[in-house]
Amino acid sequence: MKETKKIPYKIYLEESEMPKKWYNVRADMKNKPAPLLNPGTLEPMTFEELRGVFCDELVRQELDDTTPYFDIPQEIQDFYKMYRPSPLVRAYCLEESLQTPAKIYYKFEGNNTSGSHKLNSAIAQAYYAKKQGLKGVTTETGAGQWGTALSMACAYLGLDCQVYMVKCSYEQKPFRREVMRTYGANVTPSPSDTTNVGRKILSEHPGTSGSLGCAISEAVEAAVSQDGYRYVLGSVLSQVLLHQSVIGLETKAALDKYGITPDVIIGCAGGGSNLGGLISPFMGEKLRGEKDYQIIAVEPASCPSLTRGRYAYDFCDTGMVCPLAKMYTLGSGFIPSPNHAGGLRYHGMSSVLSQLYDDKLMEAISIEQTAVFGAATKFARIEGILPAPESSHAIKAAMDEAIKCKETGEEKTIVFGLTGTGYFDMMAYEKFNNGEMTDYIPSDEDLAKGFAGLPEV
Ligand SMILES: Cc1ncc(COP(=O)(O)O)c(C=O)c1O
């Protein structure tokens, strides 16, 4: 053992130390994220336009770039207490195995039935829908964690929940689907013939395995065509990052308890919600000039929106029914290879993170999936937790940083987000264990096809 373990393996907060407010990092950004645009007029979306799709309170949160803190309603705080605070774990075993002088911590969000951080925003969005007197909500889900989280939140609050699940996940993860149905959700594989946009996508791309962008289009259409329904989204939007700030606020409170200041903060990035939430309070300090941190977004080499995308206005969905968002994007028509396991398959990135990245306040790297699963397997054997493939992108990057420290002798403190567990990803693990997993990196020509579809703004 390289040091006396003054820091416990798991740092928990008392209930009384849990955050009572979410932190809105946009309030401290000098360059605000660009507004959502109406695709018809190219003018910023107004409250009135957005409230046809989203719940009123969530639209207010979405449009608010200036209020730094939002009270977490007591009912949501109470729900959080059922599975939060989540532990901040000191990865002593991993450090020892890597023989690194680095100190590694991970914030583990997988300790709830949905198996990921998604529940933090699902309960908030379902709560505001219920409070508005709605009958139900519609949504998309990729790997299935968001759909599961929303199903749990809706079951708790007595709301109807309709989930459009990306077809390849629907087929690869039947048990994930059944968990959602057990919580009372109605699950449809996307693209489907239940919506106009689904039928159009099916006729243009017969046999498609679907994408998050397609499923979003279907879920939005389902919401606006039924009375008493609104659409909810599990990532990308600024309101989701706001709710997920609970991850970063808890992490910071736990570190502060022991006087620990991280040097490097790492998170996987699909649409950006866990990373945005984890880094928010730290980024706030960085933006206010109080402290500096190295912040790294990790994305899959097969869907590299930050590292190889364009910073441009784009549709959030394949069917082009949603507002335009300015973000790092591969184009809303980009469909990642079905070879790629798990989430992180979204073509764009949160506007907040895109702006922070463009302002060089954070870095991004991409990693191939066999390397990610190699790290996942090692982590499972050493730290005991079977990680989600998405989270394993952050594990791999954290291990690489720790190995660099071994070479340089630096005793950096590394914090990464362990967003979830991988029990429903065993088909991907099976492929990896059988040596059948391959890497897919899109060529520049592949990406050019996606960029060609970017709207002119
Ligand atoms: C476990 C897990 N981690 C990370 C992500 C990526 O999403 P985001 O970038 O919004 O955190 C997902 C998305 O499905 C997920 O299920």
Side-chain angles (χ1 to χ4, degrees), residues 115-118 143 145-146 234-236 268-275 343-344 388 390-391 419-421:
S116 83
H117 66 293
K118 301 276 175 176
Q145 283 92 334
W146 165 246
S235 185
V236 185
C268 65
S273 74
N274 86 84
L275 178 68
L344 311 186
E390 297 87 351
S391 326
T419 51
T421 45

Side-chain angles (χ1 to χ4, degrees), residues 80-106:
Y80 278 170
K81 281 178 199 159
M82 292 201 286
Y83 68 101
R84 309 199 67 82
S86 69
L88 181 70
V89 183
R90 173 76 184 265
Y92 281 115
C93 301
L94 183 61
E95 289 171 18
E96 200 166 287
S97 150
L98 296 175
Q99 290 286 298
T100 174
K103 300 174 178 67
I104 308 174
Y105 295 84
Y106 56 89

Side-chain angles (χ1 to χ4, degrees), residues 46-56 59 132 230:
T46 61
F47 178 81
E48 282 308 320
E49 287 170 327
L50 284 169
R51 69 186 295 237
V53 179
F54 300 109
C55 308
D56 291 1
V59 176
Q132 199 174 316
R230 290 292 186 281

